Structures are given as structure tokens and as C-alpha cells.
Amino acid sequence: MDLNISVELTSAKKQKPEIDQLSFGKYFTDHMFIMDYDAGKGWHDPRIIPYQPISLDPAAKVFHYGQTVFEGMKAYKTAEGRILMFRPYKNLQRLNRSNARLSIPALDENVIMEALRKLVLVDEEWIPDEQGTSLYIRPFVIATQATLGVSPSEQYHFMIILSPVGSYYAEGINPVSIFVESEYVRAVTGGVGNAKTGGNYAAGLKAQQEATDKGYSQVLWLDGVHRKYIEEVGSMNVFFKVGGKVITPALNGSILDGVTRDSVIQLLRYWDIEVEERAISINELVEAYRNGTLEEAFGTGTAAVISPIGELNWQGDKLALNEGRTGPLSAKIYDFMTGIQRGTLEDPFGWVVKL
Ligand code: COI
């Protein structure tokens, strides 16, 4: 793969948003990265160019068959002006696992890391440095070959775009309310639920819209076979503190292998808190709620960071967790994770990478 990344700087820099306008994914920086793939030639022409629309043939396979994958990562600016990323290679490895599942040719993780580094440095002045803000990094691949036959594309674009962000949820760091979905399902083992591909998110929109109409931020998916085991919340993995220990759904092939999920499991074990990765039924949670042992719940994700869950709605029953307030364990994990990500706390795991 060509390691020589060319850079074309924009002559028209955009106005940057005010910090209080940020929310999630509304603004994009001045530049983007793009690289092409052609069968027989491989990935080629890596380049940083001014942020701009791209032109695609209407027959491009991504529009018809959804052959696409993406990742979500963040860069942070410390008080001393250092630029930090959190476990970036874990995301790049997952990108290649998603590629493999969607029959997309593998990317060289070192080349992508170099592209990321160069692009973030080119747009360094867009990295917000207030608490709760960061530069969200969205690498993605789309199938661009213009043929309607259902077969893996022979042409692709790999791109990276950057967006200064605040909180993913309107609630900020306050607890979110989640609707446990009993009608629709997100994915099944053997499908693409453990790949980060657009179709998983499109499949969730209807349920999400219905939950939003009822006043909930997101839906919590149950498994597609038994319709009773907890899966994930689409934008985050989930954890529950029950009777002093922490439980989270095992990676069963239909949920996403979250980088924040993995980090939180390691962190809890480092703190000597017992964590179980296993099947968790909704009935088990309801039972734990009723007998007073369901102490806290929270979601984990790059965009969501650590999001406390204040209420679960299961078939009309409203389970208020920790009286709807952020629980002490969720707060402790949030403070630790954001502290090491922003360089204000020592990172005992070696997770943080300086660009
Ligand atoms: C992320 O956490 O980066 C995600 O990709 C979740 C979502 C915004 C789709």
C-alpha cells in the first residue's frame, strides 16, 4: 500500500462553531482523507484534500446493497496542547474485522494510523479542549463500483472525516432513559451485528423513532432468537451493577465488540470489582430490580463515553435505576476514562497514544 500521503490545503477555511453549539456530528473540519481501491491495483492514492462533496455513479453498490463499514474514534487536546487518542489500533483492527465480514479488502492499519495522524494534525485547530468535548473521527469505506449485480464491489473509497463534538445525548452526562424493545430486533448471531456497518443502524431507526416519540433516548435491543437476552443499545454496549458485581452481555456474535466496553471490563478488574460477561435476560434484570439488587446501569461507547441509564422501560414497567440519578460507579468510571483520555490522570494501561 502506498504510504506517501499527499496534502492539498484548503484556501477557504470555515468558521468554527462555538463550544455550546457542538452537540454530536453537526460540524466538519476543513480537510478530509480519501484513498481509492481498484481490483488488481489495491488501495492507492492516499491523499488529504479540502473537505468537499464527492461524486458517485448512481449505480454505485453502496447505494443499493449497503456494502459499507465505519468506525468511531476521538482525539483530545490536553491543557498543555498535546493531542491524544485512545487505543486507536483497537478501532483499526475492528475496522478490518468489519471489512472481512462485508467482503471489503483489508486496509493496512499502519497506513490508516498515519493518515489519521496527518489529518488530525492538519486540522488541529478544530480540536476543542473543554471538558466533555473532543474531535470525533469517522473513518469509513464505501463500495463505489457502478454495477447492479449482487457481488463484492471491485472499487471502493476509504475516507476519514472529522467533527468537533460535545455530548452524544441531549442529556449530556445526565442519565438517559432507555426503552427495552420487544417488537423489532437488531441482529442475530451469524449476521452482521458484530460488524460496524450502516445497515445495522438503518435497521434500528424505526424502533428508535418510536421510542423517541414515547420520550426515550434510545432502545435496548433483545436477542433476535429467544427475544429475552440483553444485547446492546445500538450506540453503546451496556453494563449493570447487580448485588455488588458488574454484568455485561458476552460477545455472542450479534453485538459490537466495543473498545470502551473492553476498557471498562479491564478497568473494573484492575479495581478488583467482579465482572461477568454472560447472557443476561431481561427477566433477570426485572427480578433484580424488584428485589433491590439492581443498583446501576450504564452504557459505554466512543460517542456515548460512559452514559448512565436512569430508567428502563420494559413493556410499560418503568424501572428507575439509582432513583434516576448517576450512580457512584458510573461516575467513577466516567471520571477515570475521561481523565486518562484528556491527559489529566495517569494512564496505567498504556492506552493513550500521543499523536
Ligand atoms: C461510536 O460510538 O463511535 C459510534 O459509532 C456510535 C454511533 C454514533 C453510531
Side-chain angles (χ1 to χ4, degrees), residues 20-170:
D20 57 4
Q21 294 177 290
L22 285 182
S23 71
F24 183 79
K26 282 201 307 197
Y27 302 96
F28 297 94
T29 66
D30 288 320
H31 299 89
M32 64 192 205
F33 175 85
I34 184 163
M35 174 166 78
D36 308 319
Y37 178 92
D38 288 277
K41 203 168 170 190
W43 290 104
H44 61 92
D45 286 329
R47 55 206 188 274
I48 290 171
I49 58 174
Y51 189 95
Q52 59 193 270
I54 54 169
S55 154
L56 291 181
D57 193 294
K61 282 183 189 288
V62 65
F63 296 137
H64 306 275
Y65 308 125
Q67 199 191 3
T68 176
V69 298
F70 71 94
E71 266 303 322
M73 309 159 84
K74 279 179 174 172
Y76 307 83
K77 192 173 270 178
T78 69
E80 315 78 48
R82 287 181 305 145
I83 300 170
L84 305 179
M85 283 191 68
F86 184 72
R87 308 185 78 185
Y89 275 99
K90 285 286 278 184
N91 289 86
L92 299 182
Q93 287 156 5
R94 187 174 64 184
L95 180 64
N96 267 332
R97 290 199 299 278
S98 300
N99 280 337
R101 181 63 184 86
L102 272 288
S103 295
I104 293 173
L107 289 147
D108 182 325
E109 288 154 24
N110 293 320
V111 173
I112 304 310
M113 190 62 221
E114 181 55 16
L116 266 173
R117 203 184 65 80
K118 262 198 158 155
L119 181 64
V120 171
L121 293 180
V122 163
D123 278 340
E124 179 180 349
E125 60 198 33
W126 283 83
I127 311 175
D129 57 5
E130 270 77 2
Q131 174 71 24
T133 66
S134 57
L135 186 71
Y136 186 76
I137 302 171
R138 174 54 65 87
F140 62 104
V141 184
I142 51 173
T144 54
Q145 188 186 7
T147 56
L148 294 183
V150 180
S151 59
S153 179
E154 295 189 351
Q155 291 166 331
Y156 300 87
H157 282 325
F158 168 76
M159 303 177 62
I160 308 173
I161 54 175
L162 307 175
S163 173
V165 297
S167 306
Y168 183 70
Y169 294 113

Side-chain angles (χ1 to χ4, degrees), residues 14 16 23 34 48 51 65 79 81 127 172 195 199 205 247 250 293 295 305 307 350 352:
K14 292 182 274 199
K16 298 182 185 57
S23 71
I34 184 163
I48 290 171
Y51 189 95
Y65 308 125
I127 311 175
L205 294 177
I247 55 176
T293 53
E295 297 160 39
V305 195
S307 288
V352 171

Side-chain angles (χ1 to χ4, degrees), residues 221-263:
W221 298 105
L222 298 182
D223 77 282
V225 177
H226 310 279
R227 305 289 194 107
K228 65 176 189 183
Y229 295 106
I230 304 292
E231 298 249 296
E232 61 164 68
V233 170
S235 53
M236 54 189 195
N237 296 110
V238 282
F239 289 73
F240 304 91
K241 182 160 178 256
V242 180
K245 72 180 169 205
V246 176
I247 55 176
T248 191
L251 299 177
N252 58 0
S254 65
I255 67 171
L256 207 70
D257 179 1
V259 176
T260 315
R261 173 189 180 279
D262 175 77
S263 309

